[in-house]
Amino acid sequence: MASTRIPAEIFFLDRNSPRSLQAQIREVVVGSILSGLIHTGARMPSSRGLARHLGIARMTVTLAYQELVAQGYLNAKDRSAYVVAEVESDQLARSADASAKPAGTVDWSTFLAQPLRDRRAIRKRTDWRKFRYPFLYGQLDTRLFDRRAWRECLHQATGHRDFDDMAGDFVSADDPLLVTYIRTRTLPRRGISATSDEILVTVGAQNALWLVVELLSRGPTPLRAVCENPGYPDTIHALRWCGADVTTVEVDDNGLPPQDIPPGTRAVFVTPSHQSPTGVTMRTTRRKDLLQKAAREDFVIVEDDYDAEMSFLAAPGPALKSYDRAGRVLYVGSFSKVMFPGLRLGYLVGPAEIIAEARELASMILRHPPGHLQRAAAYFLSLGHYDRQIRNMRSTYAARQAALRAALAGTSLSIVETNVSGGSCLWVRGPDGLDSDRLARALIEDSVLIEPGGPFFHGSDGPTEWFRLGYSSIEQDRIAPGVALIEERIQAMMTRGIGH
């Protein structure tokens, strides 16, 4: 395979700089290597081509290349060709020290309220497919997806009949075909009745949650919100980022207990159909208790209905929103979990006046999700592909969950067993004193990926013995050997006393 040639366009010269032209060329090469812009084996532009691009003598480029060879940054090949050498790590460190930030560089910490990168969040690897045992939640085994059907829907969405609609800017509107399907097919299956002006299409459920948090946090008084513990970490991070006063309530075997919601609460964020991360389902009586308490104490409820379609151990019950007669529940749904995560299509359902505000807020940020994706998804849904996808995934996930439960039997791991309807992951607990973060790092050597439970617990930065095992992305025949590797690592860590 031929090596990549570095484009001459990355090179610029400052004619007013006191640095020589040769030095500037060398600085561009060294800086590009340090930043990862160019990699080992990449071919440099020809000396003639770079000289022509920069408008300088070819000998100037040749001398710069030769000096970089002497410094170990380039290797000379036949016929005056040069490629990037493999640079030693200590050489990179010395070069990095020598290239300190110039005077006057912006200190961005003075502009930012708090470093978001330091938050304790769920970190997912983008290279997860190279691992043999990826027990990850939210990723898709692409063999389960009907790509032929999706291609046909994409083709139809960009055909002559639809292109005029897709080529325009919807401004703040959504694809009417997709909204109609959500209103007439998706929501009724969850027991929800809504009009078109009570539905907003979003860039995934995450976008819908963020819009709600932003709107509720901009009220006349600081928002007092309640979240589940353990719970979805991005919700509480978004609330705190927007200035809300957040209290967490411990979940039990039936989800969030309404009686533990403190007085003065104005918004409660829950995952009743498939609690995140435990997977338990809130019973109907508790849902009604929660709504009654919301009416008495005048707060609103934000329902994240993720993974509700994957109820294969019991028939999927109606959403909490289906019992709402006073417009107190804002409902968040998504197509990404059933279709594919990269689709990033979700929706928000609520009273028309709230959806109108959310639409205006969304239009200031990103206007609307891409029109052609909305239309293609509408066809995928309306032609029955989505329903078939759900049936296939339920069957596959039921078999994978059974295999995972069987593999965990007899190990040191225990599973949340109470009131779980299905889903695509299991919430498990290791021996007392186990640090699941340390375990996850060690398992990388075994080509195993798990999700440590720490980020789901609020108010504590310490280790936890809990972690999540997803089965949406791992083949069924790899589940048992993957669990065996997890158990081996746990036993080795606990024996050596490094579990925590």
Side-chain angles (χ1 to χ4, degrees), residues 207-440:
N207 178 224
L209 287 168
W210 176 264
L211 291 173
V212 170
V213 169
E214 276 280 4
L215 289 174
L216 297 181
S217 299
R218 304 302 175 184
T221 58
L223 177 67
R224 299 187 65 181
V226 163
C227 293
E228 301 163 320
N229 190 37
Y232 183 50
D234 283 0
T235 297
I236 193 169
H237 289 318
L239 283 162
R240 287 177 172 162
W241 175 262
C242 292
D245 178 10
V246 184
T247 300
T248 58
V249 171
E250 301 296 319
V251 301
D252 59 21
D253 293 340
N254 197 21
L256 184 143
Q259 67 271 17
D260 293 345
I261 298 173
T265 296
R266 298 293 288 160
V268 175
F269 291 75
V270 290
T271 52
S273 295
H274 192 78
Q275 201 276 329
S276 174
T278 66
V280 301
T281 300
M282 184 182 289
R283 296 189 188 277
T284 301
T285 53
R286 180 169 285 191
R287 297 181 189 218
K288 293 180 177 179
D289 290 343
L290 177 58
L291 282 168
Q292 291 171 4
K293 185 178 181 70
R296 289 194 309 269
E297 302 185 10
D298 192 25
F299 60 78
V300 298
I301 301 167
V302 182
E303 176 184 12
D304 182 357
D305 202 30
Y306 89 105
D307 245 5
E309 300 91 344
M310 293 300 108
S311 297
F312 47 77
L313 297 180
L320 174 64
K321 174 69 175 172
S322 69
Y323 303 102
D324 177 30
R325 300 294 178 265
R328 288 192 176 274
V329 179
L330 301 177
Y331 178 88
V332 175
S334 173
F335 296 117
S336 300
K337 295 295 185 294
V338 173
M339 294 178 69
F340 51 91
L343 180 65
R344 308 309 306 153
L345 277 182
Y347 48 94
L348 174 66
V349 181
E353 59 268 32
I354 295 299
I355 295 301
E357 289 296 309
R359 190 178 302 280
E360 288 299 316
L361 178 59
S363 70
M364 290 192 295
I365 302 172
L366 46 76
R367 291 187 180 266
H368 55 76
H372 72 287
L373 285 181
Q374 290 194 54
R375 181 59 56 89
Y379 284 135
F380 193 84
L381 298 165
S382 62
L383 294 173
H385 302 308
Y386 185 77
D387 292 336
R388 186 172 65 252
Q389 182 80 10
I390 289 176
R391 291 193 298 269
N392 292 341
M393 292 176 74
R394 283 177 178 170
S395 174
T396 300
Y397 287 0
R400 290 182 181 181
Q401 189 189 103
L404 181 54
R405 288 179 178 275
L408 291 169
T411 70
S412 60
L413 299 172
S414 58
I415 314 169
V416 173
E417 294 283 4
T418 305
N419 201 24
V420 176
S421 61
S424 56
C425 61
L426 288 180
W427 183 240
V428 301
R429 182 176 186 174
D432 291 342
L434 177 70
D435 182 346
S436 60
D437 284 302
R438 185 187 293 271
L439 173 64

Side-chain angles (χ1 to χ4, degrees), residues 108-121:
W108 287 105
S109 65
T110 62
F111 289 85
L112 303 177
Q114 52 185 298
L116 283 174
R117 290 173 297 176
D118 294 341
R119 65 193 175 101
R120 199 177 189 192

